[in-house]
Amino acid sequence: MSYPYQIKSFDEYKEAYQKSIEDPAAFWADIAQHFTWRKKWDTTLNWNFTEPKVEWFKGGKLNITENCLDRHIATKGNQPALLWEPNAPDEHNRTLTYSMLLEKVCQFAHVLKNNGVKKGDRVCIYMGMIPELAIAILACARIGAIHSVVFGGFSAQSISDRLQDAQAEFIVTCDGAYRGAKDIPLKNVIDDALIGNKTVKRVIVCTRTRIPVSMIKGRDVWWEEEMKLVEEAGITFIEAEEMDAEDPLFILYTSGSTGKPKGVVHTCGGYMIYTNYSFVNVFQYKEGQVHFCTADIGWITGHSYIVYGPLSAGAISLMFEGVPTWPNAGRFWDVIDKYKVNIFYTAPTAIRSLMGFGLEPLQGKNLSSLQILGTVGEPINEEAWHWYDENAGKKKCPIVDTWWQTENGGILISNLAGITPSKPSWATLPLPGLQMTLVDENGKEVFAEGDETVSGNLCIKAPWPSILRTTYGDHERCRLNYFATYPNMYFTGDGALRDKDGFYRITGRVDDVLNVSGHRIGTAEVENAINMHAGVVESAVVGYPHDIKGQGIYAYVIFNGKGINEALAKKDILQTVTRIIGAIAKPDKIQFVSGLPKTRSGKIMRRILRKIAEGEINNLGDTSTLLDPGVVEEIKNGKI
Ligand code: WTA
């Protein structure tokens, strides 16, 4: 498969960029014609950012799985589509060729249908990183059901909230999941999530760890038994459901500045075109290369760069069940050598954590197959960038620093590997189609004088094909969150710098969203969870720089009761957060305080709390508007 739209030089990039800005519809229509459509679209682009309303390729009929699977069968039916490395290095690995994957997807699509799933129904998927997760996703897409994958680290309460928000009637899960030395009882968590739930009709349980599970009659069925029925009937294929380009493909929940995660909705046509285009261009994918994205499919990175991007490009995508540090800190390098990985895409947190183990885990590793490296999810510091460049890439692999968000569907700012210039810790240039800009607090675009670097809030002035269409069940929320801060612009929530060459460096969130180990967590969500604890009166959560995680979570908590056992109370709070959100949202530091710095109108002055958490206690700025400035002294003295 060749990619006629793959950019081959910096000049070609500039030309493509220019074209994409002058006539976005013509630019993307030109790319879209290289995909499989049942019927061509009526209008390429229709949009306004006030409602907001964005439609790409409206009237076009397609099924994304025909583009990810069927269209590759003739030329590469026997080529691996998915390679799978299990958690334990001595367990058998698995290879699914394009033909095998298509067959499994079709069979599981029948299983879904047999269990009552119809086009448009929401299917919640809560599984570990096994091939069946990719199969379940694609099977939903095959029949037009809307998948909503929930990361395996989220708690029962989080799942329950998401099930309710999406009004999901179906769940696909596993008995358990292996992750490093741990095994996670996924089905038990689902059982807890379903207490009191009246909407879910069917739970399909795939076997992985075979820990004891309670299978409820009339509700729960085994994946393997259901598949066997289909296989025994000799069924190996299912006709793909014809979808409109603007029909929803999936919902993925993500954190924002309010207490409740939002269900970001992506649609079939635009998402497909953009994940493919960005995959092929950013990673400069060449036929036969092995692409290893270490993200979990529970996050957008896994959706776009393990499943849809690579498969729509006919690539070989490696899926890894385990973690980088188990059984030892050389695991990534072993996996790279075992599969002769060419493209390696991971998070700065993983790099920093491996740096902490020194160079010993790299001894004896070959790594000569590596050609391109990538990072995603958070700013990469220069030290980690150079370590990655020297030790993984041996200074011969371009590193792509890819900036994007769940709401974007695919990579928006990044160098194109080996094609456009890179600059350590800078995401660099926007991809074609992306009209980025920086604005000040009043929404006025800022421009540099001469050779200066400017800073501002990062916004986008026009839609690209995989921009979110809505937040599920609440369009107004989508408008308020992304399109209301600055008129006629999509606001990313990130701050950035732009240098004289037009390169962008992302400096981090400017809203109340934290980025912990590359995972997005809203401070309000964590506060809500802490406040659920019976002893907590009030809390305020901020981020602080953390050597490995990028950001750590610092919680200031007012606790009820004299003479409490602080150590125990902290543990109870952590347990509460684990119950309400999941272990990923546990505060790294908890400081008990008797009051919080508030303005006279009762607003918590987070700026001050952030400064204290960052250790800048002598530089707190103006505190004169505080109701009780004395409280700041106490907090400063008690800092941990
Ligand atoms: C941050 C992950 C700096 C950013 C794909 C964004 C980054 C949030 C980068 C989205 C990067 C992502 N450099 N920051 N290369 N990539 N971010 O939705 O703050 O999980 O807003 O999507 O991660 O996180 P999300």
Side-chain angles (χ1 to χ4, degrees):
M1 184 170 195
S2 69
Y3 314 107
Y5 42 85
Q6 192 173 51
I7 293 164
K8 298 281 172 29
S9 67
F10 196 17
D11 281 343
E12 270 185 39
Y13 161 79
K14 289 179 196 155
E15 203 182 304
Y17 189 80
Q18 195 57 31
K19 231 169 104 185
S20 76
I21 301 306
E22 279 164 13
D23 192 347
F27 177 80
W28 289 109
D30 207 30
I31 292 159
Q33 60 161 331
H34 297 287
F35 291 73
T36 300
W37 295 86
R38 296 266 184 96
K39 174 184 164 284
K40 201 183 163 199
W41 54 94
D42 304 322
T43 35
T44 307
L45 172 61
N46 186 8
W47 71 285
N48 72 69
F49 275 176
T50 35
E51 288 178 59
K53 174 176 166 174
V54 178
E55 290 174 344
W56 283 95
F57 314 111
K58 182 80 182 155
K61 303 292 177 194
L62 78 159
N63 186 292
I64 196 168
T65 67
E66 287 191 332
N67 284 274
C68 287
L69 301 169
D70 306 60
R71 70 166 170 158
H72 306 310
I73 298 300
T75 52
K76 47 179 69 157
N78 296 325
Q79 180 209 281
L82 278 183
L83 301 171
W84 179 72
E85 169 70 5
N87 183 53
D90 53 359
E91 191 184 333
H92 273 304
N93 57 330
R94 288 167 65 187
T95 298
L96 285 160
T97 64
Y98 273 94
S99 298
M100 288 156 76
L101 184 58
L102 174 62
E103 186 172 307
K104 291 276 172 233
V105 167
C106 286
Q107 287 173 331
F108 193 65
H110 276 283
V111 168
L112 290 173
K113 283 201 146 180
N114 291 346
N115 282 281
V117 183
K118 298 180 305 298
K119 180 177 180 175
D121 287 347
R122 276 79 54 218
V123 179
C124 169
I125 301 180
Y126 186 68
M127 300 172 83
M129 282 286 284
I130 55 175
E132 282 68 21
L133 167 53
I135 292 168
I137 287 175
L138 292 163
C140 286
R142 188 78 175 175
I143 62 169
I146 303 168
H147 58 75
S148 172
V149 183
V150 178
F151 173 62
F154 280 112
S155 69
Q157 182 65 51
S158 294
I159 300 167
S160 164
D161 293 345
R162 286 159 172 75
L163 287 172
Q164 196 179 351
D165 189 83
Q167 289 291 296
E169 291 174 317
F170 304 92
I171 297 177
V172 185
T173 189
C174 295
D175 47 0
Y178 294 122
R179 265 181 82 71
K182 294 195 204 118
D183 57 55
I184 302 148
L186 296 177
K187 174 63 165 60
N188 280 347
V189 180
I190 290 291
D191 289 338
D192 287 346
L194 287 179
I195 294 171
N197 177 297
K198 301 228 173 2
T199 352
V200 171
K201 295 189 214 153
R202 183 72 81 231
V203 182
I204 303 175
V205 186
C206 184
T207 306
R208 175 65 184 127
T209 59
R210 206 47 194 99
I211 50 161
V213 288
S214 92
M215 295 292 283
I216 302 295
K217 196 182 291 164
R219 187 193 73 185
D220 301 350
V221 295
W222 289 107
W223 171 297
E224 290 76 14
E225 285 178 9
E226 294 295 301
M227 281 294 262
K228 207 160 148 221
L229 293 177
V230 173
E231 283 159 17
E232 282 175 0
I235 296 169
T236 55
F237 186 75
I238 193 168
E239 198 58 52
E241 186 75 32
E242 191 169 284
M243 307 293 284
D244 191 279
E246 279 301 324
D247 280 338
L249 173 64
F250 66 83
I251 305 171
L252 188 58
Y253 284 86
T254 191
S255 295
S257 40
T258 59
K260 198 174 146 238
K262 304 174 285 254
V264 168
V265 175
H266 283 291
T267 55
C268 298
Y271 177 81
M272 170 180 80
I273 305 293
Y274 196 80
T275 50
N276 178 290
Y277 181 80
S278 53
F279 173 73
V280 160
N281 280 297
V282 171
F283 301 105
Q284 286 291 305
Y285 188 80
K286 308 275 178 313
E287 190 86 36
Q289 285 183 326
V290 176
H291 172 78
F292 178 18
C293 166
T294 70
D296 191 289
I297 292 180
W299 307 107
I300 190 70
T301 306
H303 281 62
S304 300
Y305 299 110
I306 296 178
V307 184
Y308 290 113
L311 296 182
S312 69
I316 305 171
S317 183
L318 171 62
M319 193 173 165
F320 173 42
E321 187 184 32
V323 297
T325 48
W326 190 84
N328 58 59
R331 188 66 194 280
F332 270 171
W333 320 126
D334 286 336
V335 175
I336 289 168
D337 281 348
K338 180 166 171 186
Y339 297 91
K340 304 208 166 26
V341 168
N342 306 112
I343 305 170
F344 180 59
Y345 188 34
T346 195
T349 290
I351 299 168
R352 286 191 297 262
S353 118
L354 294 177
M355 273 169 78
F357 290 89
L359 295 180
E360 205 262 333
L362 279 141
Q363 297 224 318
K365 316 291 162 160
N366 182 310
L367 306 187
S368 62
S369 59
L370 285 176
Q371 295 171 350
I372 284 153
L373 303 176
T375 67
V376 60
E378 41 175 331
I380 180 160
N381 48 315
E382 287 200 34
E383 194 191 353
W385 194 98
H386 287 294
W387 190 91
Y388 197 33
D389 182 37
E390 282 158 29
N391 299 298
K394 317 283 184 208
K395 290 197 151 190
K396 66 175 178 55
C397 303
I399 299 179
V400 289
D401 176 352
T402 66
W403 173 86
W404 58 297
Q405 312 176 293
T406 305
E407 295 85 346
N408 308 153
I411 298 164
L412 300 194
I413 306 182
S414 171
N415 49 318
L416 311 183
I419 300 290
T420 64
S422 69
K423 183 170 169 180
S425 86
W426 288 68
T428 76
L429 294 168
L431 263 67
L434 272 305
Q435 302 189 35
M436 316 302 302
T437 190
L438 296 178
V439 302
D440 64 19
E441 311 82 89
N442 304 316
K444 205 168 146 296
E445 287 187 70
V446 291
F447 298 98
E449 304 252 333
D451 277 359
E452 274 175 19
T453 292
V454 276
S455 91
N457 291 343
L458 185 63
C459 292
I460 310 176
K461 295 199 279 187
W464 60 100
S466 60
I467 185 175
L468 84 161
R469 300 303 195 266
T470 190
T471 46
Y472 193 80
D474 193 349
H475 194 62
E476 179 60 5
R477 199 159 172 222
C478 173
R479 189 185 73 80
L480 284 173
N481 260 290
Y482 307 105
F483 301 92
T485 318
Y486 306 113
N488 296 316
M489 289 189 208
Y490 166 87
F491 176 40
T492 63
D494 278 319
L497 307 175
R498 187 179 55 223
D499 73 4
K500 62 176 184 357
D501 300 316
F503 286 15
Y504 286 89
R505 176 185 192 149
I506 312 302
T507 45
R509 304 288 304 195
V510 294
D511 53 8
D512 290 322
V513 174
L514 306 179
N515 193 327
V516 181
S517 302
H519 300 153
R520 255 166 89 167
I521 298 170
T523 52
E525 260 179 274
V526 183
E527 286 166 8
N528 287 351
I530 294 174
N531 296 349
M532 295 286 283
H533 185 283
V536 172
V537 179
E538 197 179 5
S539 65
V541 164
V542 296
Y544 71 96
H546 188 287
D547 285 349
I548 291 173
K549 299 177 174 184
Q551 268 190 313
I553 304 180
Y554 197 117
Y556 299 91
V557 178
I558 306 177
F559 206 84
N560 211 346
K562 290 218 154 41
I564 53 160
N565 178 335
E566 285 207 1
L568 202 53
K570 282 183 185 177
K571 283 187 189 155
D572 287 347
I573 289 173
L574 294 181
Q575 184 62 12
T576 311
V577 174
T578 306
R579 279 270 171 209
I580 303 294
I581 307 177
I584 52 170
K586 280 198 299 196
D588 299 275
K589 293 183 180 179
I590 298 175
Q591 180 182 344
F592 289 118
V593 296
S594 65
L596 291 166
K598 288 188 180 171
T599 60
R600 287 187 184 88
S601 60
K603 225 178 131 247
I604 296 175
M605 297 266 292
R606 285 162 190 288
R607 180 177 54 80
I608 293 174
L609 293 175
R610 220 175 283 131
K611 284 252 158 102
I612 296 174
E614 285 166 3
E616 285 190 47
I617 46 176
N618 296 321
N619 179 24
L620 296 182
D622 183 13
T623 54
S624 62
T625 55
L626 285 179
L627 188 61
D628 173 14
V631 88
V632 174
E633 282 311 306
E634 180 215 305
I635 295 176
K636 268 163 60 174
N637 294 335
K639 183 189 159 4
I640 29 178

